[in-house]
Amino acid sequence: MNQIFKSVLSQSFILSLLTLAAANQSNAQNITIPIETSHQALVLQADENKNLKNIYLGKKLADPKEYDFIKSRYKQTEDYSGLLNSAYTPSGSRNLMEPAISVIHADGNMSLDLRYISHKTIRLNDNVSLLTVLLKDPVYNFEVTLYYKSYHKEDVIEQWNVIRHHEKGNVTLQKFASANLNLQAQSFWLKQFHGDWAKEMQPEESKLTHGIKTLDTKLGTRANLFMPSVFMVSLDKPATEDEGNVLYGALEWSGNFKIDFEVDFQDNLRIIAGMNNYASPYILKPGEEFTTPAFLFTLSDKGKGEASRKLQNWARNYKLLDGKGNRLTLLNNWEATYFDFNEQKLSGLLKDTKKLGVDLFLLDDGWFGNKHPRNDDHAGLGDWQENRRKLPNGITSLVKEAGADGVKFGIWIEPEMVNPKSDLYTKHPDWVIKQPDREEHYFRNQLVLDLSNPKVQDFVYGIVDSLFIKAPSLAYIKWDCNAVIYNAYSAHLKNNQSQFYIDYVHGLYKVLERIRAKYPVVPMMLCSGGGGRVDYGALKYFTEFWPSDNTDPVERIFIQWDYSYFYPAIASSNHVTDWGKQPVKFRTDVAMMGKLGFDIVVSELKENDLKFCQDAVSTYNTLKNVIWQGDQYRLVNPHEQNMASLMYVDSTKSTAVMFNYLVNYRYGESSKTPIRLKGLDPAKKYRIQEINIYPGTKSPVQSEKLFSGDFLMNIGFNPEVNTTRTSVILKITADLSKAANTL
Ligand code: GLA
């Protein structure tokens, strides 16, 4: 960079600092910027050298002026760099720790410094505010705007950045995190989740030690197969359900992510979260903007339960598509037929859907492909025309027939994928992600289409659009994504291969945006060979997700329990299937803790089993709003005890549902002590009634008795779970009659 340009730039930098100093006369030295929600605060501060720092993240103080005193109470060692708690750590200048951003400037120089220029807060509505902070490099014409969107009531903050420059050529972004948080505590406890197919959301909790612990994925698609980006960090000691300080975090991104937890030499925790920069240096032209995905976090000083309720509320209010809306109960044919069906069989299943009493029939995989019929998972993906042998009259006629039977119709697609045995693969080899000169490597016999290519985006959009054009009353889509990306190479991106992983996800979001512009609320299930793609980046476009192909109900208790930390029950599609050894009652009871569906052969159900399921659907319809919209309380943790117990309470604390299960079948196992309920009104009197009772069995629960909320929350209630009563659902209703209140 020439000298004159540099000096003009630094003059304009000084000028902007002066303007700003004038604007912040109250404190010529430090500029403190608190981001407060109802209970928590993230406090930023620009120091006398205009380094922007995170000076506090924790419980909100009554007097915001006192945030200024926090730093001086800490007598930790020398920082050396002045950047240790930077709000967005630049690299190549003074930083000594993991950076949040690192770049190669147009002139090849790799240093970056970012100084505070200005900030402003806009109130978007009564509950939501948006703070922007502009940072600039004093030497290079390079800037980053930090965005903090805060949701007051829910105590949630979403954070992202926009990076831009006006250098004389392209800048390469080497790292571009979304968030850079700093926490202070005696110790930090990370709870993370790992998994594989049918083993989603396996929790692990450990103390963070000095150095960096990384959670990441490099799979491209089905990115969460081994690990999702959701995590929690407890401060001082592992938080329990109702006690302790805990931060929940997640990246709103459906591709590669990287979250670094660095305990630094001062014993503080730095969290740097964003898209994974693995194989992804990004070329930014002068004047162009690079926007990172949002990282979201919430804090609770009352344990994991409260943090979950805040996040679930936030998701329903602001993120999950149609989070306050309705959902459809359904019968799916995947496990009932696999690929083996025809029109006649489906006609029977449509009638069974009605008989069962659910809202919709969902036709799964296997309905398409002619030259390469989809009769197993080796062929057909990409050829989205109805298979003429199986469905001679096409989808349109099935949708009509469903309507005549009084049910709705939904369909499975996997539009991002292609089998080498398909017309699509033969016609458009350049649309397929593969290395031109290397052997192909398959995941479930398939490859991924190149969504960085606008033509492929049009094709994928067209799959959904043409289904709706053909059958406008089509009521539901299950969107699957079974393969990861091997041999990452885009014929479309040519010399820009390092943008591929990021451009893929942007391409996917563009398609989903278009779909939602035309079909704003049609329910869509987010599936990825199970829960391989559950994240809030995608859930903006989807009404629900498929947590796992593992539908063994005992396994599901654990999987749903662990998803519930971060996602509301309304988003969790739970199906009753033939997995596991438990009776149909147990399986149905577990599936009712979310969005209920079935994937069984209804015609083969024994009379009482069918009767039970039909009654369960009706009961569910009366309680689904409490489960979907109510506050969730986890009562007994199956990871710690031989039982699981959870409850949902409506906002007026007048109706609640409590689900109880035995998860260990050793001799004599049972609920020996009462379980303390939560979230009720201590002053109200409640009636407890067992529901979902299997035909011909009697409940020991006496529903005539009334208990105060005080009693139920301090002493508790025993659902009398044992090896012959392995699952028990209780409905808890406030008795508002005068008589009850004078008891
Ligand atoms: C994935 C899904 C299943 C089912 C199959 C169909 O595995 O997770 O639910 O749809 O694909 O091939």
Side-chain angles (χ1 to χ4, degrees):
M1 186 186 272
N2 76 40
Q3 255 345 89
I4 301 172
F5 183 54
K6 260 194 211 167
S7 90
V8 170
L9 224 141
S10 38
Q11 271 170 29
S12 73
F13 175 70
I14 291 163
L15 207 74
S16 13
L17 291 191
L18 289 177
T19 324
L20 199 108
N24 290 280
Q25 274 165 354
S26 57
N27 186 342
Q29 292 295 300
N30 294 329
I31 299 155
T32 305
I33 315 167
I35 306 161
E36 291 185 324
T37 55
S38 55
H39 300 97
Q40 308 296 335
L42 168 63
V43 185
L44 309 177
Q45 189 175 71
D47 68 11
E48 60 282 7
N49 296 316
K50 305 300 171 219
N51 294 304
L52 187 73
K53 298 176 168 179
N54 284 326
I55 59 160
Y56 180 64
L57 175 54
K59 200 169 172 181
K60 173 163 117 177
L61 299 183
D63 179 0
K65 281 201 270 337
E66 291 192 331
Y67 292 127
D68 276 333
F69 309 148
I70 296 174
K71 187 73 188 129
S72 56
R73 301 303 101 193
Y74 284 83
K75 305 292 172 202
Q76 294 176 303
T77 55
E78 176 69 43
D79 166 341
Y80 302 111
S81 62
L83 283 180
L84 208 46
N85 58 342
S86 168
Y88 200 58
T89 316
S91 76
S93 49
R94 288 161 295 137
N95 77 303
L96 298 171
M97 311 307 285
E98 184 62 27
I101 178 166
S102 94
V103 306
I104 307 178
H105 292 287
D107 64 2
N109 190 297
M110 290 174 72
S111 74
L112 185 66
D113 195 356
L114 291 171
R115 304 290 175 114
Y116 170 90
I117 299 294
S118 62
H119 75 274
K120 67 167 185 269
T121 304
I122 314 168
R123 260 176 91 89
L124 301 178
N125 59 41
D126 276 359
N127 193 47
V128 189
S129 298
L130 181 66
L131 163 74
T132 53
V133 188
L134 178 63
L135 307 176
K136 279 190 176 176
D137 189 314
V139 175
Y140 284 91
N141 199 342
F142 185 100
E143 65 181 51
V144 179
T145 308
L146 310 182
Y147 287 78
Y148 298 85
K149 193 170 182 182
S150 50
Y151 301 80
H152 191 79
K153 232 173 37 219
E154 296 82 4
D155 282 319
V156 169
I157 295 179
E158 282 180 296
Q159 191 186 336
W160 70 95
N161 314 302
V162 175
I163 303 168
R164 58 178 91 72
H165 71 90
H166 291 281
E167 297 190 16
K168 288 209 174 115
N170 294 342
V171 169
T172 307
L173 306 179
Q174 300 273 72
K175 186 165 187 194
F176 26 77
S178 299
N180 183 169
L181 298 178
N182 290 268
L183 288 158
Q184 282 160 320
Q186 296 307 314
S187 58
F188 304 95
W189 299 81
L190 173 68
K191 184 156 177 174
Q192 61 180 99
F193 301 85
H194 69 100
D196 197 343
W197 178 76
K199 289 198 261 179
E200 288 84 348
M201 294 300 280
Q202 311 281 321
E204 277 176 324
E205 188 157 37
S206 53
K207 185 175 175 183
L208 287 166
T209 55
H210 289 85
I212 298 181
K213 160 85 185 177
T214 300
L215 303 182
D216 82 334
T217 170
K218 304 180 185 76
L219 308 184
T221 44
R222 201 173 173 171
N224 296 349
L225 178 61
F226 305 137
M227 180 169 286
S229 72
V230 290
F231 68 87
M232 48 183 104
V233 172
S234 300
L235 308 183
D236 300 325
K237 57 182 181 201
T240 63
E241 238 353 82
D242 298 307
E243 282 173 352
N245 283 302
V246 62
L247 172 128
Y248 280 25
L251 192 71
E252 298 176 33
W253 182 244
S254 309
N256 295 347
F257 64 81
K258 183 168 189 261
I259 304 176
D260 289 317
F261 300 86
E262 182 171 38
V263 179
D264 65 26
F265 59 89
Q266 283 190 342
D267 310 327
N268 299 324
L269 176 65
R270 309 173 72 247
I271 301 177
I272 298 182
M275 293 188 256
N276 201 335
N277 58 342
Y278 159 75
S280 296
Y282 207 92
I283 311 297
L284 193 63
K285 295 188 188 126
E288 260 182 16
E289 288 189 345
F290 181 88
T291 305
T292 70
F295 172 76
L296 73 91
F297 62 94
T298 185
L299 278 164
S300 161
D301 56 327
K302 293 188 190 62
K304 292 172 177 167
E306 189 192 70
S308 294
R309 286 186 289 282
K310 286 176 179 180
L311 206 49
Q312 293 173 357
N313 260 328
W314 171 81
R316 283 184 298 238
N317 290 338
Y318 297 104
K319 192 55 67 169
L320 175 71
L321 192 95
D322 204 18
K324 305 297 267 184
N326 190 29
R327 296 294 184 274
L328 302 169
T329 53
L330 59 81
L331 177 67
N332 187 194
N333 72 314
W334 174 238
E335 294 191 19
T337 66
Y338 291 103
F339 297 95
D340 181 22
F341 57 82
N342 56 26
E343 229 165 52
Q344 204 190 350
K345 225 184 210 178
L346 295 184
S347 288
L349 295 183
L350 289 176
K351 304 233 157 26
D352 288 346
T353 309
K354 182 70 188 166
K355 198 197 239 174
L356 193 58
V358 290
D359 303 318
L360 172 130
F361 173 73
L362 169 60
L363 176 59
D364 214 283
D365 196 356
W367 57 268
F368 50 90
N370 283 297
K371 190 164 163 206
H372 303 279
R374 180 80 172 161
N375 291 330
D376 58 41
D377 62 12
H378 286 79
L381 283 178
D383 300 349
W384 298 100
Q385 296 79 34
E386 295 95 325
N387 179 280
R388 284 186 293 273
R389 283 191 60 190
K390 287 184 190 172
L391 307 178
N393 296 302
I395 296 298
T396 319
S397 113
L398 282 171
V399 176
K400 269 201 199 122
E401 191 180 335
D405 287 338
V407 292
K408 295 181 186 326
F409 191 91
I411 201 160
W412 178 97
I413 51 173
E414 195 180 7
E416 296 157 79
M417 302 288 158
V418 61
N419 284 120
K421 280 191 197 153
S422 67
D423 283 342
L424 182 71
Y425 181 92
T426 320
K427 249 199 237 151
H428 294 290
D430 56 322
W431 285 9
V432 179
I433 298 165
K434 55 183 178 133
Q435 287 289 346
D437 300 322
R438 293 188 197 279
E439 203 184 324
E440 292 177 6
H441 191 73
Y442 306 124
F443 198 105
R444 208 194 188 203
N445 317 302
Q446 67 197 54
L447 293 166
V448 183
L449 293 175
D450 178 9
L451 269 178
S452 73
N453 183 343
K455 286 197 186 122
V456 178
Q457 293 166 19
D458 289 345
F459 170 76
V460 172
Y461 171 76
I463 297 168
V464 178
D465 194 33
S466 53
L467 279 170
F468 282 119
I469 290 170
K470 232 195 264 181
S473 53
L474 185 69
Y476 186 93
I477 300 272
K478 174 176 178 184
W479 181 303
D480 212 338
C481 164
N482 279 289
V484 303
I485 292 176
Y486 292 121
N487 285 315
Y489 178 85
S490 156
H492 166 72
L493 287 174
K494 300 196 176 76
N495 294 333
N496 281 331
Q497 292 302 317
S498 67
Q499 313 210 164
F500 167 70
Y501 282 118
I502 294 172
D503 286 0
Y504 182 95
V505 182
H506 284 148
L508 171 68
Y509 290 164
K510 271 189 200 152
V511 173
L512 291 166
E513 283 290 338
R514 278 171 77 184
I515 292 174
R516 284 318 184 184
K518 189 158 174 196
Y519 308 103
V521 287
V522 175
M524 292 214 296
M525 182 208 281
L526 174 62
C527 175
S528 184
R533 186 194 260 169
V534 183
D535 67 77
Y536 279 118
L539 283 172
K540 189 175 154 196
Y541 306 103
F542 290 85
T543 48
E544 54 213 77
F545 66 85
W546 181 235
S548 178
D549 278 356
N550 188 340
T551 48
D552 175 315
V554 176
E555 295 289 331
R556 269 295 182 122
I557 289 173
F558 288 84
I559 293 174
Q560 291 172 199
W561 177 278
D562 286 288
Y563 273 113
S564 84
Y565 285 114
F566 305 96
Y567 300 99
I570 190 172
S572 178
S573 295
N574 304 334
H575 294 181
V576 178
T577 73
D578 287 328
W579 281 49
K581 300 188 192 77
Q582 280 63 34
V584 75
K585 165 166 167 59
F586 190 102
R587 289 181 270 143
T588 310
D589 288 358
V590 173
M592 277 172 63
M593 293 189 297
K595 211 221 76 175
L596 176 66
F598 291 81
D599 195 347
I600 47 173
V601 185
V602 175
S603 59
E604 286 173 10
L605 286 177
K606 289 195 209 104
E607 198 186 325
N608 272 346
D609 280 0
L610 176 63
K611 170 93 176 64
F612 171 80
C613 291
Q614 290 167 326
D615 291 348
V617 172
S618 314
T619 307
Y620 179 74
N621 284 335
T622 65
L623 287 173
K624 62 190 183 188
N625 273 324
V626 181
I627 299 165
W628 295 347
Q629 301 297 338
D631 279 330
Q632 184 206 53
Y633 293 86
R634 289 178 293 260
L635 307 176
V636 180
N637 185 342
H639 292 286
E640 291 166 3
Q641 297 190 39
N642 295 326
M643 277 193 61
S645 181
L646 286 106
M647 69 184 283
Y648 301 85
V649 186
D650 76 348
S651 59
T652 60
K653 297 178 186 293
S654 43
T655 310
V657 201
M658 180 190 187
F659 295 87
N660 308 278
Y661 310 94
L662 194 68
V663 296
N664 178 340
Y665 297 94
R666 293 196 59 188
Y667 178 78
E669 282 308 337
S670 62
S671 54
K672 300 187 177 75
T673 54
I675 296 169
R676 285 194 196 103
L677 278 65
K678 295 178 191 169
L680 300 175
D681 179 346
K684 282 199 171 105
K685 295 279 191 298
Y686 293 93
R687 192 177 300 286
I688 299 192
Q689 179 201 356
E690 180 167 356
I691 55 170
N692 261 27
I693 299 174
Y694 192 79
T697 57
K698 280 219 166 82
S699 170
V701 177
Q702 297 167 357
S703 54
E704 314 78 57
K705 271 216 167 92
L706 290 181
F707 298 92
S708 68
D710 178 43
F711 179 89
L712 292 171
M713 293 194 291
N714 286 303
I715 308 300
F717 190 82
N718 194 326
E720 299 187 47
V721 167
N722 57 47
T723 45
T724 55
R725 271 168 63 79
T726 50
S727 89
V728 173
I729 307 186
L730 301 172
K731 181 178 171 189
I732 298 137
T733 324
D735 189 321
L736 302 174
S737 66
K738 254 207 181 128
N741 291 306
T742 50
L743 269 183

